[in-house]
Amino acid sequence: MTSKSIYQHGSPNRTGVLLINLGTPDAPTAQALRPYLQEFLSNPRVIEIPRLIWWPILHGFILPFRPKASAEKYAKIWMPEGSPLKVHTERQTKLLREALQAQLQNPPIVEYAMNIGKPSVATVMTKMQEQGCERILVIPLFPQYAASSTAAAMGNVFSVLNRMRNLPSIRTVKQYHDHPGYIAALAQNVQDYWGVHGRPDKLIISFHGTPRASLDKGDPYHCACQKTGRLLAEALALDPNQYSVCFQSRFGKAKWLTPYTAVTLEQLGKEQTQRVDVICPGFVSDCLETLEEIAIEAKNTFIQAGGKEFHYIPCLNERSDWIRALADITCTHLQGWLDIAVTEEAAQLSRKLALEMGAKD
């Protein structure tokens, strides 16, 4: 537990919104990737293999070699402003803040943190407390709940809370995989792309994969992905043969959720499919898994197998309809909190009275 209390008498009584994304290395270098991968792959929510078995694999085979390979991939998609995931998350945070300021009388403080890397959840939650946030709504930027993503982020939040003396009130958003605004933004994103580039023979709706064992143990992620895919296809008026829901990013030799995106694209290429488009609704910001794994690697898989034309449809990123949907999700979960406000005059009076009664300054 932290020994120093952040509480001050007469401080503003504010509401905060904390967006959490997965995270990103500080630079596209092996030196930066090693601590990032070590933190990520050491999380028991991410890798559920027993430590006695996993630790020798992680430290003996993965960390000595994978950082260099991962750094080369990051270098291909790195933006002048930095990591795409961080750049888009920063922009989304700013746009959400502005949207809430425009529509609410007492808008909340809006910040973002990364579950892995910087800015850390601990740093940002401490900052929000220092800004007077007595209430914090936590929104992981993962539309579909999974123990390895959403629960990992929540676990980080609760770990930080466990070290705080003066706890804020906390609300959390589990998922929004079927939120009407989110689905509408996805559909409009596809329609806008098709309006410029034409339509494909097949739309691949690709989600990040998880081990099949997670589903067998009760993780609802697979069902959430399937529902998002179905709702998106319905919004686009697609027949079942015009789209496929697939899973990417398989890691290791264990069986993961199927069908695999790479295998599906290879088969479509062998069938000499004229054109496929791929969209990744599980990511609200473009990142390594979309810009490198899909837009580069998956494209090569399809073309080399005999496919003709490959299109990657970007993530929602800073689309205005997505920001409106995120603001709607936020306001829904803030109900009751937005009516709680303490004016500066009331705060100063409270402080004066507390000091007169012997409170510590």
Side-chain angles (χ1 to χ4, degrees):
M1 180 187 296
T2 55
S3 58
K4 183 179 178 181
S5 174
I6 295 176
Y7 178 74
Q8 292 182 340
H9 293 283
S11 59
N13 192 332
R14 303 292 301 277
T15 296
V17 175
L18 175 60
L19 305 177
I20 301 181
N21 217 328
L22 173 63
T24 180
D26 294 333
T29 64
Q31 184 178 7
L33 260 297
R34 183 180 174 87
Y36 173 78
L37 289 174
Q38 181 170 349
E39 183 180 359
F40 177 53
L41 297 175
S42 296
N43 191 320
R45 284 283 193 178
V46 176
I47 303 295
E48 297 187 52
I49 300 172
R51 303 292 93 177
L52 190 63
I53 299 174
W54 176 241
W55 238 235
I57 298 174
L58 176 62
H59 293 277
F61 297 95
I62 296 177
L63 291 180
F65 306 106
R66 190 168 178 184
K68 183 177 183 296
S70 294
E72 292 172 353
K73 293 181 178 182
Y74 271 103
K76 295 177 184 178
I77 55 100
W78 208 259
M79 300 170 68
E81 306 97 311
S83 162
L85 178 69
K86 186 172 184 179
V87 171
H88 289 303
T89 303
E90 286 177 343
R91 292 174 181 173
Q92 290 169 349
T93 301
K94 180 177 182 290
L95 289 170
L96 177 62
R97 185 183 298 125
E98 292 172 350
L100 295 176
Q101 287 173 347
Q103 67 185 79
L104 299 175
Q105 184 176 359
N106 299 308
I109 290 172
V110 182
E111 303 285 355
Y112 83 91
M114 296 297 183
N115 196 43
I116 307 294
K118 304 172 185 175
S120 70
V121 171
T123 298
V124 177
M125 288 186 67
T126 299
K127 174 185 175 182
M128 295 178 79
Q129 266 206 319
E130 291 172 346
Q131 292 175 299
C133 290
E134 288 290 317
R135 300 163 297 277
I136 299 177
L137 171 65
V138 182
I139 308 179
L141 291 173
F142 315 117
Q144 297 78 23
Y145 171 90
S148 57
S149 56
T150 308
M154 295 301 188
N156 201 348
V157 169
F158 296 137
S159 178
V160 173
L161 291 173
N162 195 44
R163 300 192 298 271
M164 285 184 173
R165 183 174 299 279
N166 180 30
L167 298 183
S169 297
I170 293 288
R171 288 181 182 173
T172 61
V173 177
K174 179 177 181 179
Q175 60 183 355
Y176 43 92
H177 64 294
D178 56 356
H179 187 275
Y182 161 69
I183 297 298
L186 287 174
Q188 192 60 52
N189 185 29
V190 175
Q191 290 170 342
D192 289 347
Y193 188 90
W194 286 351
V196 175
H197 302 281
R199 297 170 67 94
D201 298 291
K202 191 97 169 182
L203 176 66
I204 301 298
I205 304 174
S206 182
F207 294 90
H208 196 287
T210 62
R212 168 72 198 199
S214 298
L215 173 61
D216 296 336
K217 293 175 181 178
D219 197 307
Y221 178 71
H222 180 264
C223 297
C225 293
Q226 293 290 346
K227 186 172 185 181
T228 297
R230 174 176 60 80
L231 291 175
L232 174 57
E234 289 175 357
L236 294 171
L238 298 179
D239 295 330
N241 64 335
Q242 293 178 303
Y243 76 96
S244 292
V245 173
C246 303
F247 297 89
Q248 64 186 82
S249 308
R250 182 187 179 191
F251 175 73
K253 296 182 179 180
K255 184 175 182 179
W256 280 40
L257 297 179
T258 56
Y260 299 131
T261 300
V263 173
T264 300
L265 288 170
E266 183 177 16
Q267 182 59 40
L268 289 171
K270 290 178 178 178
E271 296 170 0
Q272 296 190 329
T273 304
Q274 184 65 33
R275 172 178 162 181
V276 298
D277 286 9
V278 181
I279 186 171
C280 302
F283 302 94
V284 297
S285 301
D286 273 310
C287 55
L288 184 72
E289 287 78 5
T290 64
L291 297 175
E292 198 281 332
E293 183 180 352
I294 295 299
I296 298 175
E297 289 188 10
K299 177 180 180 179
N300 290 338
T301 297
F302 175 70
I303 298 298
Q304 290 174 7
K308 304 303 180 183
E309 192 176 347
F310 180 101
H311 289 246
Y312 166 65
I313 301 175
C315 290
L316 294 173
N317 294 326
E318 294 84 53
R319 286 183 59 94
S320 59
D321 47 9
W322 158 235
I323 300 301
R324 287 195 299 271
L326 184 57
D328 185 39
I329 293 167
T330 301
C331 289
T332 297
H333 287 84
L334 285 177
Q335 289 186 26
W337 276 4
L338 295 175
D339 299 328
I340 304 174
V342 177
T343 65
E344 187 63 31
E345 282 186 2
Q348 290 304 316
L349 176 59
S350 174
R351 176 176 175 79
K352 178 176 179 294
L353 293 174
L355 294 175
E356 289 176 352
M357 296 177 66
K360 184 178 179 181
D361 190 356

